[in-house]
């Protein structure tokens, strides 16, 4: 089996810390693999990389945070036993020591104060930055003797940026970099560019624009690299895409679907800024119309409640009309530990992306749509149909002995 590097953008955050803690806990047999889609029996025949064979590193705006977040997951959030963190502290500290300075320019006002810290290079042009980021990835690969490195964006949500003609083609995008047009290039784009330019797959787990830029997709295709995004589907939107198909199949007309989310943590703090929040609301808003075939009255509220820490609550009210025009309603309350919901999906995405690259696949990995709120190039949002796309992909690979043998 290959040795695989996982390079996390936002490596000192809650989600990144939980990814590292979880992978190490499972590898060291402290915890079972529950919550990982790739541990389902359907995936047993796919030769996916083992969690023991993953090495971690990444970029962030601060030199520390990973170990502290892992500790908070046990002590403040009570999501995992304290003994996990104690037993894994040396592993976590080793990954924290590998975290390299990221690129902050254009990441939005909610991250500006953090971005000015001494950890980051100052007055660096875009062209110099993408070379430095690419060198980090090559350096990690060589130092850890890795067969491949998968880059996953779990950094703070950026405000949206309107795409222009310069983002349409690779040539134009390269010009933006050479001319240091930093107002047109956000960190998620710079990271995607650096990864794809050096031939490393890129997955965007956040609502930041990243791989949605056509020029970057062209770059991925040019270097024959797999990529995908955007925004992991872990809570309220997951439930929406499960329930909406039911309303459609029972011919129950949804009149209104009002969703109200409260969350704490770093993500909540960043999303409290309306400029950053716009990206999250946008990525959450496409699913109902696409699934129902019409647009009910709908609203997505997101509010920051610092005391909640890593916990998140979503309350949704669905007003619908049935037989003889009778109006009824459904309400649900979803309470989840944000990074515990998301971390296994990040590990699933790493394993499936690495497999795709090893089997010679490239371009958008549309079979991974079920993991995302806003899946690139896929109009299907209904969760059961998206899961079928993944099952069909697995079936194709497990029936095809030639591909399987090549991937081993
Ligand atoms: N359930 C979930 O946890 C979930 C689901 C879907 C999407 N997401 C997305 O994942 C991301 C991370 O969530 P989190 O809870 O870990 O947030 P967090 O605030 O705890 O962590 C984000 C990390 O990114 C770092 N960062 C900010 N700007 C950066 C930059 N330019 N370069 C490198 N690092 C940078 C921050 O310093 C921080 O360490 C968010 O965008 C969130 O919307 C999370």
């Amino acid at each position: 089996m290959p040795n695989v590097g996982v390079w996390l953008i936002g490596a000192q955050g809650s989600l990144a810390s939980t990814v590292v803690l979880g992978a190490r806990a499972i590898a060291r047999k402290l915890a079972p693999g529950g919550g990982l889609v790739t541990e389902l029996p359907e995936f047993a025949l796919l030769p996916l990389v083992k969690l023991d064979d993953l090495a971690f590193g990444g970029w962030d705006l601060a030199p520390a945070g990973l170990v502290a977040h892992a500790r908070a997951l046990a002590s403040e959030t009570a999501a995992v036993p304290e003994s996990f963190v104690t037993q894994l502290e040396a592993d976590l500290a080793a990954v924290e020591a590998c975290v390299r300075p990221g690129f902050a320019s254009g990441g939005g006002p909610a991250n500006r104060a953090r971005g000015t810290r001494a950890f980051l290079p100052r007055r660096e042009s875009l062209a110099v930055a993408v070379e430095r980021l690419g060198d980090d990835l090559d350096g990690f690969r060589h130092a850890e003797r890795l067969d491949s490195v998968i880059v996953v964006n779990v950094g703070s949500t950026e405000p949206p940026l309107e795409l222009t003609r310069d983002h349409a083609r690779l040539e134009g995008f390269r010009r933006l970099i050479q001319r240091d047009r930093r107002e047109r290039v956000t960190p998620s784009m710079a990271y995607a560019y650096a990864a794809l330019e050096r031939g490393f797959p890129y997955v965007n787990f956040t609502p930041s624009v990243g791989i949605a830029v056509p020029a970057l997709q062209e770059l991925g295709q040019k270097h024959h690299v797999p990529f995908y995004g955007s925004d992991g589907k872990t809570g309220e939107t997951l439930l929406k895409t499960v329930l909406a198909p039911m309303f459609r199949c029972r011919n129950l007309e949804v009149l209104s679907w009002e969703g109200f989310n409260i969350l704490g943590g770093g993500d909540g703090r960043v999303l409290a800024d309306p400029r950053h929040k716009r990206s999250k609301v946008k990525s959450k808003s496409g699913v109902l119309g696409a699934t129902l075939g019409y647009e009910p009255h709908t609203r997505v509220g997101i509010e920051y409640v610092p005391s909640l820490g890593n916990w998140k609550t979503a309350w949704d009210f669905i007003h619908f009309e049935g037989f003889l025009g009778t109006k009824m309603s459904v309400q649900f309350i979803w309470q989840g530990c944000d990074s515990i919901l998301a971390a296994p999906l990040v590990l699933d995405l790493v394993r499936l992306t690495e497999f795709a690259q090893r089997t010679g696949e490239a371009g958008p990995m549309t079979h991974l749509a079920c993991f995302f709120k806003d899946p690139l190039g896929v109009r299907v949002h209904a969760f059961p149909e998206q899961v079928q796309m993944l099952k069909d992909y697995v079936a194709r690979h497990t029936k095809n002995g030639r591909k399987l043998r090549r991937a081993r």
Side-chain angles (χ1 to χ4, degrees), residues 151-352:
V151 178
V152 188
N153 187 4
V154 290
S156 304
T157 301
E158 301 164 357
L161 183 84
E162 203 180 318
L163 299 185
T164 61
R165 281 178 55 192
D166 297 322
H167 298 96
R169 298 297 312 271
L170 182 55
E171 211 185 334
F173 192 81
R174 286 201 207 274
R175 257 197 315 272
L176 290 180
I177 293 177
Q178 292 314 325
R179 294 179 184 169
D180 206 23
R181 301 289 302 276
R182 42 189 62 229
E183 75 287 358
R184 299 259 170 101
V185 179
T186 68
S188 68
M189 295 183 200
Y191 290 132
Y193 181 86
L196 297 168
E197 180 70 337
R198 303 280 178 119
F200 297 107
Y202 172 91
V203 175
N204 185 11
F205 202 79
T206 80
S208 303
V209 62
I211 195 62
V213 173
L216 294 172
Q217 294 170 35
E218 187 185 333
L219 180 61
Q221 298 277 16
K222 179 171 179 245
H223 291 320
H224 203 72
V225 185
F227 52 81
Y228 212 55
S230 298
D231 202 7
K233 182 158 85 171
T234 60
E236 188 206 25
T237 311
L238 173 64
L239 265 183
K240 270 187 176 166
T241 60
V242 168
L243 288 177
M246 176 201 76
F247 285 105
R248 188 192 57 200
C249 293
R250 282 294 162 99
N251 198 10
L252 299 169
E253 186 189 352
V254 175
L255 306 169
S256 318
W257 194 314
E258 311 298 315
F260 183 66
N261 299 270
I262 52 175
L263 77 163
D267 196 23
R269 182 186 59 77
V270 168
L271 297 179
D273 185 307
R275 289 159 287 190
H276 292 255
K277 191 191 291 185
R278 270 204 297 275
S279 295
K280 188 60 110 180
V281 170
K282 184 168 170 280
S283 85
K284 278 166 104 47
S285 62
V287 303
L288 285 181
T291 311
L292 297 168
Y294 55 88
E295 292 285 351
H297 183 274
T298 187
R299 197 191 320 254
V300 178
I302 304 174
E303 298 302 331
Y304 178 41
V305 179
S307 65
L308 284 177
N310 209 330
W311 290 90
K312 176 178 162 179
T313 298
W315 170 67
D316 277 42
F317 178 88
I318 307 148
H319 200 203
F320 66 96
E321 192 171 280
F323 191 47
L324 309 180
T326 304
K327 290 179 183 167
M328 294 164 267
S329 66
V330 175
Q331 297 177 49
F332 70 76
I333 296 175
W334 168 276
Q335 284 179 301
C337 177
D338 230 12
S339 53
I340 288 286
L341 288 165
L345 305 187
V346 171
L347 293 169
D348 287 325
L349 289 165
V350 165
R351 296 174 103 182
L352 290 164

Side-chain angles (χ1 to χ4, degrees), residues 63-76:
L66 193 152
V67 177
H69 270 118
R71 281 201 202 109
L73 197 65
S75 59
E76 290 165 29

